[in-house]
Amino acid sequence: MYRRRKHVRSGFMAVGAWLILSLAMSGYGNQANAEAAAFDQGLVLLQQNSFQSVEAGVSRIAASADPRARQLLDQLLTGDLYVRKSDDRLVLARGAPDGFRTTDPFSGADLGPAGKRDLARVKLNNKLRAQVRNAAAGLSLADADARIRLGAVQEMTGRLDADALEVLQQRLTHEPDDKVREAILTAVALGHLENRDPVLQLAAVETLSGNLNPAVRGGLTALRDRTGDAAVREAVDRALLSIEATLQAYRLAETLFFGLSAGSVLVLAAIGLAITFGVMGVINMAHGELIMLGAYTTYMVQQLLPGALEWSLLIAVPAAFVVSGAVGILIERGVIRFLYGRPLETLLATFGVSLILQQLVRTLISPQNVPVANPAWMSGSWEINSVLSLTLNRLYIVVFCLLVFAALFLVLKKTVLGLQVRAVAQNRNMARAMGIRTEWVDALTFGLGSGIAGVAGVALSQLTNVGPNLGQAYIIDSFMVVVFGGVGNLWGTLVGGIGLGVANKFLEPWAGAVLAKILILVLIILFIQKRPRGLFPQKGRAAEH
């Protein structure tokens, strides 16, 4: 008996579920049929081709939510939608040598040629054109993609009228995305600025206070110029001051970002020089050319692997380190090791080496600048808001600079080579007495510094032109960073490079690029007069000499 009741109850549940599903499918089918019927009715009204019928047809088509509605409204706006007189059929017509070539508006099927007298363009006046735009934007506002909805709101913001405001206010009640909601609120508030009601104007001004949309400042300024209400004018003045203060803060943040990126480039260019100059006391005038070799290595990697552009930089970083590092070891073994203790001769010899490297690149590759492409992941910018965007290539270089600094710091502090380098830097004679092969430490240290210069060239290839004279633009700045931060001190190089980059970018807007560099140089000279050993002077017996 229990089993029978259980089976009966299960049967009733199955029948009930079937009925519910059938009703739901029936309702869905009825809704789909209603949408299709409304769309078809709109098409019939468009075919009548009078202003009244087109207005009613656009309303039916927009309300139908048919997937073809947006496509048809766009065709209306472009003026390509016609009625064929022979059968009152809607066609898409485009000019051809013998008249028009007609196609189906939805499938794109060819409907053959037509003469000018065979077709009548669907009529639109300014009122209808605004209605069609608002209807198309309304369909976009219902799209599942938030980016499309945001684009529709931004498009409507530039041409607000009563119908557009009504569409936006209706969408606001059920918009789930915060960014789109904010854009709708801004658009509605801009529309209320045109209202003559001071209460609505004050509410709109309050909503727009601090808003960075470019249209907001124009709307508030226009309201201030035309309003006769003292309270409204005072509220507008406060809102404009708030916007200006926010703009100044973001301009400051943008300048700081550009300063950090410029400083990161200086750190990358100077950090290898800080090692060689600090450990061996060598004034290496070929350091800029080692940076250049790193940039050209990036170019060669892209030429050899044209199908791997997205991975080219990841391959170029170790390749540039090896190439520039090997050239640096050759320079140290072939030239510099015979000139230790004679800084003037070292300066002249490395200057000669720099000229040789420049001419070698001109002969083997090209005397002109060569193109180095940016991979897609380094192109574009990160848009924080309408007034502040950070270019991705500079953002990546800031991060890359910190990674290189951290890796070099760990090498010098946590490895045997780092221990020997620090020992030679502090007291070369004592290190030699303890059994350290100082000549090989010198070679490996010079190779390490040169390799990092090559890595800096990879970064610079994404910011500037790659040519034989690339290194000359950074050699003087690199020496300034090393001297300012403290010879042989990595932290000094980091702080000095970032500080000089930021200071230069803050001086440029009012002093100009050339005068800003001169002022920075004068300030460094004055600073060195007070602290000859820089921000972070080297410690140990070597610092006493």
Side-chain angles (χ1 to χ4, degrees), residues 91-370:
V91 298
L92 198 63
R94 292 187 172 87
D98 54 348
F100 288 95
R101 176 63 58 181
T102 60
T103 57
D104 185 88
F106 308 114
S107 67
D110 188 10
L111 299 178
K116 292 183 179 180
R117 295 184 179 181
D118 300 330
L119 303 174
R121 178 178 287 173
V122 178
K123 296 178 181 179
L124 287 182
N125 55 21
N126 290 337
K127 178 183 177 182
L128 279 174
R129 196 167 283 107
Q131 180 193 6
V132 174
R133 287 198 189 98
N134 290 334
L139 291 173
S140 296
L141 286 176
D143 196 279
D145 191 341
R147 292 173 297 180
I148 294 178
R149 300 200 302 273
L150 181 61
V153 175
Q154 292 170 344
E155 181 184 352
M156 296 177 73
T157 303
R159 43 176 181 77
L160 290 168
D161 54 25
D163 293 335
L165 285 175
E166 183 179 356
V167 170
L168 289 172
Q169 287 174 324
Q170 290 174 354
R171 180 63 195 175
L172 185 61
T173 56
H174 47 274
E175 173 55 54
D177 188 84
D178 291 338
K179 196 172 183 179
V180 180
R181 283 183 61 84
E182 183 181 352
I184 293 176
L185 287 171
T186 299
V188 171
L190 283 171
H192 286 165
L193 291 181
E194 303 296 328
N195 198 296
R196 295 186 177 183
D197 186 355
V199 176
L200 279 178
Q201 289 178 343
L202 284 172
V205 171
E206 185 68 25
T207 301
L208 297 173
S209 180
N211 194 301
L212 301 176
N213 191 313
V216 170
R217 295 185 71 189
L220 290 174
T221 303
L223 177 61
R224 184 183 60 185
D225 294 339
R226 71 172 183 268
T227 186
D229 191 295
V232 172
R233 187 181 295 109
E234 183 180 352
V236 169
D237 288 336
R238 287 198 303 269
L240 288 173
L241 285 174
S242 173
I243 292 173
E244 187 59 33
T246 306
L247 285 174
Q248 289 293 342
Y250 279 115
R251 290 191 191 109
L252 182 66
E254 185 179 44
T255 303
L256 181 62
F257 169 71
F258 280 112
L260 287 173
S261 63
S264 299
V265 171
L266 288 177
V267 171
L268 285 171
I271 196 167
L273 189 64
I275 298 172
T276 56
F277 193 25
V279 174
M280 294 175 287
V282 173
I283 303 175
N284 181 19
M285 295 300 294
H287 186 78
E289 278 57 47
L290 296 170
I291 296 174
M292 174 197 69
L293 290 179
Y296 271 101
T297 302
T298 309
Y299 166 74
M300 294 303 298
V301 167
Q302 291 187 355
Q303 295 301 306
L304 295 173
L305 302 172
L309 178 61
E310 299 304 312
W311 301 94
S312 60
L313 289 186
L314 300 180
I315 299 171
V317 168
F321 181 86
V322 171
V323 170
S324 294
V327 172
I329 291 175
L330 288 176
I331 293 173
E332 196 279 335
R333 290 286 87 190
V335 178
I336 293 177
R337 71 188 180 103
F338 302 108
L339 302 174
Y340 284 127
R342 292 181 287 175
L344 181 59
E345 286 87 341
T346 304
L347 185 150
L348 293 175
T350 53
F351 179 70
V353 171
S354 72
L355 297 178
I356 293 172
L357 291 175
Q358 288 181 36
Q359 192 58 43
L360 191 65
V361 166
R362 288 189 179 96
T363 303
L364 296 180
I365 301 178
S366 172
Q368 307 297 327
N369 292 341
V370 295

Side-chain angles (χ1 to χ4, degrees), residues 418-456:
L419 179 63
Q420 293 179 349
V421 167
R422 285 182 284 131
V424 172
Q426 292 181 17
N427 194 317
R428 179 177 295 272
N429 293 329
M430 183 60 70
R432 185 181 293 113
M434 295 295 295
I436 295 175
R437 299 181 62 182
T438 56
E439 65 278 4
W440 284 109
V441 171
D442 290 338
L444 292 176
T445 303
F446 203 90
L448 179 63
S450 301
I452 294 173
V455 170

Side-chain angles (χ1 to χ4, degrees), residues 330-540:
L330 288 176
I331 293 173
E332 196 279 335
R333 290 286 87 190
V335 178
I336 293 177
R337 71 188 180 103
F338 302 108
L339 302 174
Y340 284 127
R342 292 181 287 175
L344 181 59
E345 286 87 341
T346 304
L347 185 150
L348 293 175
T350 53
F351 179 70
V353 171
S354 72
L355 297 178
I356 293 172
L357 291 175
Q358 288 181 36
Q359 192 58 43
L360 191 65
V361 166
R362 288 189 179 96
T363 303
L364 296 180
I365 301 178
S366 172
Q368 307 297 327
N369 292 341
V370 295
V372 177
N374 291 72
W377 51 272
M378 283 191 73
S379 303
S381 60
W382 173 29
E383 187 174 343
I384 296 176
N385 53 45
S386 58
V387 297
L388 178 61
S389 58
L390 308 181
T391 52
L392 291 180
N393 57 349
R394 292 184 176 274
L395 188 61
Y396 278 118
I397 283 174
V398 173
V399 175
F400 182 65
C401 168
L402 296 177
L403 291 175
V404 171
F405 178 85
L408 183 59
F409 186 82
L410 290 176
V411 167
L412 293 180
K413 295 295 182 182
K414 302 296 183 180
T415 65
V416 175
L417 175 62
L419 179 63
Q420 293 179 349
V421 167
R422 285 182 284 131
V424 172
Q426 292 181 17
N427 194 317
R428 179 177 295 272
N429 293 329
M430 183 60 70
R432 185 181 293 113
M434 295 295 295
I436 295 175
R437 299 181 62 182
T438 56
E439 65 278 4
W440 284 109
V441 171
D442 290 338
L444 292 176
T445 303
F446 203 90
L448 179 63
S450 301
I452 294 173
V455 170
V458 177
L460 286 174
S461 70
Q462 303 301 299
L463 294 178
T464 187
N465 295 325
V466 176
N469 297 321
L470 170 66
Q472 296 298 307
Y474 293 94
I475 185 64
I476 302 301
D477 290 339
S478 298
F479 275 109
M480 280 200 306
V481 170
V482 171
V483 173
F484 176 63
V487 176
N489 190 294
L490 290 184
W491 287 108
T493 304
L494 178 66
V495 174
I498 297 295
L500 292 180
V502 171
N504 191 65
K505 288 301 177 182
F506 274 97
L507 288 174
E508 277 184 5
W510 63 271
V514 176
L515 184 57
K517 283 187 175 293
I518 294 173
L519 290 174
I520 293 293
L521 180 59
V522 170
L523 291 174
I524 289 177
I525 292 172
L526 294 176
F527 177 81
I528 295 301
Q529 295 295 319
K530 296 293 183 182
R531 292 181 62 111
R533 295 178 183 173
L535 285 172
F536 299 91
Q538 190 180 30
K539 297 179 180 179

